[in-house]
Amino acid sequence: MDSTALRYFAAVARTGSVQAAGEVLHVAGSAISRQIAGLEAQLGIPLFERHARGMRLTHAGEILANHARRQELENERVSADLQRLRGHETAVLRITTVEGTAQYAMPMAIARLQHLRPGVHVKLSVLSSRLVTERVRSGEADIGIAFSLAPQPEIRVLRRLNGAIMAFASTDHSYAGRSSLTLKDLEKVPMFLMGAETTVRQLFDMACAHEGVAVKPVLETTSSATIHQLVLTGAGLSVASFFSMAKHVKNGGVVALPLTHPILEQRSIQVQVLTGRRLPMIVEEFLQCLDEVISDIELFAPGKTLRLPN
C-alpha cells in the first residue's frame, strides 16, 4: 500500500474533507483526491461517503483509518528510538487529562518526570472525559486520564483509580468532624456544584433522585477552581473525586467526607492508551512518576487506597 496515499487518506479521515486535509498537508486537493481514488480502486471498496459538507468514513474506511493511525504512531516511535541511538533524542510526551487530575496529580507527576528526564517536552491538554478518550483513540495523545463509567472501544486501561464522588468541607465547617455524610445531610447546607454536563453532577443528581433528596445548589459553574476556593471559605460544601481536591486536603484546608451511596461509586479514573500501540519509553517513565504521586496521595486519602483492579 503506497505510503503517500495512506498519509493523504489519514489526513482526510482526521479533518473530514479534502480541502481541509490539503491545507494541513500543503498539497493540492486534486492530488489528494487522486490518491484516495487510487487507494479505493486498489482495495476494491469505497473508503468514504461523499457529502456536500465533507467526507465520512465507511466501515472499511474506519478499519483502514485505525491501521493508518497505528502506522503513524509506530513510525514516530521508531524515529524516536533511532534518535536516541544517535544521542539526539528530544522526547515529547502528549498527555490529555480532565481538570480533576490537572489540579494536583498531573503537575506533581510532570515535575517528577522533569527530574527523571531533564529536557523532556510535555504537551498537556485539559479536556472533558469524552474528548480525552477521543484524543487517545485518534493518536493525538500518547496517554489520557479520564473519568469513565464503562470500558471504551480501542482503549487499553493501564491504571484504574478510585473516582468515587465524595463531599468536601473546610476544616472549620460544622460537618468537618464527621466520618461520613448522607445525601440527606447535604440538603441542609449551601452546595457549590459543577454543571449538568459533567459526570460528577450527573451521578450526584441520579443518587439524589434515587434517595428522594432535593439538593438545590447556591452556585453552579464550569470552574472547579472557583468551587475549591468557595469550599475553603467555609461558606458551603461541594462534591468531587478525591483527586480533584487532594491538594487542599493535603494542605489542611479541606476535609474529605465519604458519601454513602452506591451510585456515587460507579465512576473510575482511567489511565488510557490506544489498544495495540507499542508505547514509547517516555510513557513508561511517566507512569512510574504517576505511580509515585498516587502513593503519596494515598497517605492522606480516606481508606488509604486509590488504586482499583483493571
Side-chain angles (χ1 to χ4, degrees), residues 91-103:
V92 176
L93 178 63
R94 300 167 299 183
I95 306 171
T96 182
T97 188
V98 290
E99 190 175 1
T101 58
Q103 301 283 336

Side-chain angles (χ1 to χ4, degrees), residues 104-177:
Y104 180 75
M106 283 302 100
M108 298 303 292
I110 291 169
R112 287 174 182 261
L113 182 65
Q114 291 288 351
H115 179 74
L116 180 67
R117 290 285 301 278
V120 65
H121 181 60
V122 177
K123 296 182 178 180
L124 178 68
S125 300
V126 181
L127 302 168
S128 68
S129 288
R130 178 181 62 81
L131 291 177
V132 166
T133 301
E134 286 183 7
R135 287 281 182 94
V136 173
R137 192 178 290 125
S138 70
E140 295 175 82
D142 299 307
I143 189 166
I145 296 92
F147 290 111
S148 183
L149 299 175
Q152 300 293 322
E154 300 183 75
I155 294 296
R156 179 160 67 102
V157 178
L158 301 180
R159 305 284 189 277
R160 275 184 76 240
L161 307 173
N162 192 338
I165 296 168
M166 310 175 70
F168 294 88
S170 68
T171 52
D172 57 2
H173 193 277
S174 59
Y175 282 175

Side-chain angles (χ1 to χ4, degrees), residues 48-70:
F48 290 101
E49 296 174 359
R50 276 76 172 172
H51 300 279
R53 294 185 178 180
M55 313 257 289
R56 183 180 304 164
L57 288 168
T58 62
H59 181 60
E62 290 175 354
I63 293 172
L64 185 59
N66 290 339
H67 165 76
R69 182 166 61 243
R70 287 172 172 78

Side-chain angles (χ1 to χ4, degrees), residues 206-249:
M206 285 172 57
C208 288
H210 186 268
E211 291 295 306
V213 171
V215 173
K216 295 181 179 179
V218 297
L219 172 85
E220 294 181 73
T221 179
T222 58
S223 170
S224 61
T226 298
I227 288 177
H228 296 178
Q229 291 303 312
L230 281 167
V231 172
L232 284 167
T233 68
L237 274 66
S238 189
V239 292
S241 72
F242 187 79
F243 280 94
S244 299
M245 297 289 280
K247 176 178 71 174
H248 303 295
V249 176

Side-chain angles (χ1 to χ4, degrees), residues 54-84:
M55 313 257 289
R56 183 180 304 164
L57 288 168
T58 62
H59 181 60
E62 290 175 354
I63 293 172
L64 185 59
N66 290 339
H67 165 76
R69 182 166 61 243
R70 287 172 172 78
Q71 182 88 31
E72 289 177 350
L73 294 172
E74 180 64 10
N75 290 344
E76 288 179 9
R77 190 194 66 80
V78 170
S79 177
D81 287 347
L82 293 174
Q83 291 297 319
R84 187 180 302 113

